[in-house]
């Protein structure tokens, strides 16, 4: 069985973070492992508290996983600060996993900055060079590129600029475009790839970014190419949104198990 490690924060309502990642990995038939970087008290309405795990204990978790069940792919999500980023980067450099997918959790869906400037610069310096794919949303793409993204043309400029920072692949997610939900994959020396997406009328999209990046990691762990893994992941997320799960009083979670429900 192929294995995927998620390094991220815990979401107590189960819609994002570690919980969303593990559900996604299980839904793809792979074995999921976790390194928890923070514990949050949150639901579909608000985040009421965050407890950051000490970086040295994050390192211990990574050692425990890599020294026993070496992952076929690694997905990285919420990292709180520069010290945490350096700790994770140091262990990745020590173990050299084959595939690393980085979801740069920098800006919330509502537009709030979740990471200060120093941490952003550290993320670019320490983790971008280690990632095979970076998956920013449009708000994060604007922060990383310094450009205002208004449509497909500015998406191209921003994605290429971010790719220049990392030297690897960038999947710029267009879920917040006004007229579509198209994503753009840019890789150095390769032709740009667009992944068209229809806007689905469902306000329950909590954890979409976590789910997409984990699904891409699953495809890579199974031996699929990066473009194929992205296509598979986008289809999985779209179907998880379209399934219409409605839980909670705010922005609810996706239906990660929509495939098994279809079988039933």
């Amino acid at each position: 069985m192929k294995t995927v490690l998620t390094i991220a924060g815990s979401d107590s309502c189960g819609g994002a973070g570690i919980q969303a990642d593990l559900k996604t990995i299980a839904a793809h038939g792979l074995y999921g492992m976790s390194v928890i970087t923070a514990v949050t008290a949150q639901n579909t309405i608000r985040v009421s508290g965050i407890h950051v795990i000490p970086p040295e204990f994050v390192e211990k978790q990574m050692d425990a996983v890599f020294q026993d069940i070496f992952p076929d792919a690694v997905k990285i999500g919420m990292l709180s600060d520069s010290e945490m980023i350096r700790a994770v980067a140091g262990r990745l450099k020590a173990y050299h996993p084959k595939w690393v997918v980085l979801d740069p959790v920098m800006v919330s869906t509502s537009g709030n900055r979740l990471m200060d400037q120093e941490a952003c610069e550290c993320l670019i310096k320490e983790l971008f060079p280690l990632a095979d794919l970076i998956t920013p949303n449009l708000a994060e793409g604007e922060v990383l590129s310094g450009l205002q993204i208004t449509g497909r043309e500015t998406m191209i400029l921003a994605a290429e600029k971010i790719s220049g920072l990392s030297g690897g692949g960038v999947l710029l997610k267009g879920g917040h475009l006004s007229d579509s939900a198209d994503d753009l994959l840019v890789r150095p020396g390769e032709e740009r790839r667009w992944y068209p997406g229809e806007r689905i009328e469902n306000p329950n999209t909590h954890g979409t970014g976590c789910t997409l990046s984990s699904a891409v990691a699953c495809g890579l762990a199974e031996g699929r190419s990066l473009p194929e893994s992205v296509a598979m992941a986008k289809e999985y997320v779209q179907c998880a949104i379209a399934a219409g799960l409605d839980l909670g009083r705010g922005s609810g979670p996706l239906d990660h198990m929509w495939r098994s429900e279809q079988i039933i």
Side-chain angles (χ1 to χ4, degrees):
M1 178 178 284
K2 297 298 184 179
T3 62
V4 176
L5 169 64
T6 167
I7 304 171
S10 168
D11 174 2
S12 55
C13 76
I18 288 287
Q19 287 82 352
D21 296 341
L22 291 177
K23 290 174 188 177
T24 300
I25 296 165
H28 284 81
L30 279 65
Y31 184 80
M33 301 169 290
S34 65
V35 167
I36 298 177
T37 60
V39 178
T40 69
Q42 66 174 291
N43 53 29
T44 64
I45 303 171
R46 68 179 67 88
V47 178
S48 55
I50 300 176
H51 175 72
V52 177
I53 305 300
E56 59 270 19
F57 196 76
V58 170
E59 292 175 328
K60 285 183 179 294
Q61 292 179 75
M62 292 182 68
D63 288 339
V65 173
F66 276 100
Q67 292 174 10
D68 187 22
I69 307 176
F70 199 96
D72 293 297
V74 175
K75 173 262 169 82
I76 304 172
M78 178 184 179
L79 301 175
S80 57
D81 53 33
S82 298
E83 188 178 1
M84 181 74 75
I85 292 167
R86 283 190 284 267
V88 170
R91 283 302 186 265
L92 291 178
K93 291 173 184 177
Y95 292 113
H96 302 290
K98 183 176 181 179
W99 294 107
V100 175
V101 178
L102 173 62
D103 182 13
V105 184
M106 302 166 58
V107 183
S108 69
T109 302
S110 59
N112 295 319
R113 286 288 295 263
L114 303 175
M115 185 179 285
D116 62 29
Q117 185 61 34
E118 179 186 352
C120 289
E121 293 173 359
C122 185
L123 189 75
I124 294 170
K125 178 182 178 182
E126 298 290 341
L127 277 180
F128 273 32
L130 304 179
D132 298 284
L133 182 69
I134 302 165
T135 62
N137 58 31
L138 291 186
E140 290 157 348
E142 289 184 339
V143 171
L144 291 168
S145 67
L147 302 173
Q148 183 178 5
I149 302 173
T150 57
R152 290 168 66 97
E153 291 302 316
T154 45
M155 279 184 71
I156 293 171
L157 295 175
E160 290 182 342
K161 189 170 183 179
I162 298 167
S163 181
L165 294 173
S166 67
V170 173
L171 179 67
L172 185 55
K173 299 174 294 188
H176 294 100
L177 290 172
S178 59
D179 57 351
S180 71
D182 298 350
D183 298 341
L184 171 63
L185 176 63
V186 170
R187 302 175 76 190
E190 296 188 12
E191 185 177 352
R192 295 187 295 265
R193 291 176 181 259
W194 285 98
Y195 295 85
E198 295 182 7
R199 186 163 299 284
I200 300 169
E201 294 302 321
N202 183 353
N204 298 309
T205 56
H206 181 55
T208 304
C210 306
T211 301
L212 179 70
S213 54
S214 294
V216 173
C218 287
L220 295 171
E222 291 180 305
R224 302 175 190 267
S225 69
L226 182 54
E228 184 183 6
S229 296
V230 171
M232 178 194 72
K234 187 168 180 66
E235 179 185 13
Y236 170 76
V237 170
Q238 287 183 318
C239 290
I241 297 173
L245 183 65
D246 187 16
L247 295 175
R249 294 183 290 120
S251 178
L254 314 181
D255 188 350
H256 294 91
M257 308 311 294
W258 61 268
R259 283 176 175 155
S260 60
E261 292 159 7
Q262 287 183 340
I263 295 173
I264 294 171

